[in-house]
Amino acid sequence: RIAITLAISMLMISGLYAVRPAVPSTTVRTPFVDLQGTAIQFATRRADDGSLTPVSRTHLANGKILIANYRNLYLVDRDQGTVEPIAPDPSISIWHPTAVFYSAFYDQVFIANYTGGDVLVGQIVEGVFKLATRIAHPQGTVGPEGIYISGGGRYMAIADYDGKAAALFEREN
């Protein structure tokens, strides 16, 4: 179910129509995407009884996938066919992961922590998100819901839902 949901989410983001800029008011239909395939069975260990609907995902260097769903973080291992909950570091008092992004440049996981009003940075170690640092800004992380780190690690963009803004941070060193 998770693999199908992710494929549908990616399809919705890419859209089915494209506007050709050279010809105003002309809409061109893009090719239809066939979502048929083979079902993959997963043994899922739940963190709670809430929805497993993913809102964000990222691929880790080891080939595994992290999924955020507003309430929890899950590690998907396609080779093993497992989905395991990731526990937050004990120092994290507010945990609402709305977006997750793995930066190969930093070899760190960045988590938009919505109601915490911050971005959590760390690594997954033995089923636990180990906090390395917390990024908070009174105008850039009021309610972070999305996050992206540039390939060279120079820029971090945050979709700040409660702040009604997109914040762009630049590394100083």
Side-chain angles (χ1 to χ4, degrees), residues 19-157:
V19 177
R20 190 178 302 170
V23 182
S25 73
T26 300
T27 302
V28 179
R29 187 179 290 272
T30 59
F32 177 73
V33 178
D34 185 359
L35 294 178
Q36 294 181 17
T38 304
I40 301 171
Q41 298 296 319
F42 286 92
T44 304
R45 194 164 58 91
R46 303 291 299 268
D48 59 28
D49 292 333
S51 170
L52 271 177
T53 305
V55 293
S56 178
R57 61 105 179 103
T58 192
H59 291 266
L60 301 176
N62 61 9
K64 296 178 183 176
I65 300 169
L66 273 178
I67 295 176
N69 75 346
Y70 284 104
R71 296 168 60 137
N72 294 296
L73 202 61
Y74 288 91
L75 183 66
V76 178
D77 186 331
R78 294 187 300 181
D79 295 336
Q80 298 295 317
T82 59
V83 178
E84 295 287 331
I86 299 299
D89 188 287
S91 67
I92 301 170
S93 60
I94 300 174
W95 176 251
H96 290 113
T98 55
V100 60
F101 189 91
Y102 170 74
S103 169
F105 180 84
Y106 292 111
D107 190 28
Q108 298 279 323
V109 174
F110 290 72
I111 298 172
N113 187 25
Y114 180 64
T115 56
D118 54 14
V119 172
L120 307 172
V121 184
Q123 293 186 333
I124 306 300
V125 180
E126 297 178 4
V128 176
F129 174 76
K130 296 289 185 179
L131 183 67
T133 191
R134 187 182 310 253
I135 300 169
H137 187 277
Q139 296 163 330
T141 61
V142 178
E145 287 229 2
I147 189 164
Y148 179 81
I149 311 299
S150 65
R154 182 173 178 182
Y155 298 103
M156 176 175 65

Side-chain angles (χ1 to χ4, degrees), residues 160-166:
D160 189 354
Y161 182 77
D162 286 350
K164 297 176 179 59

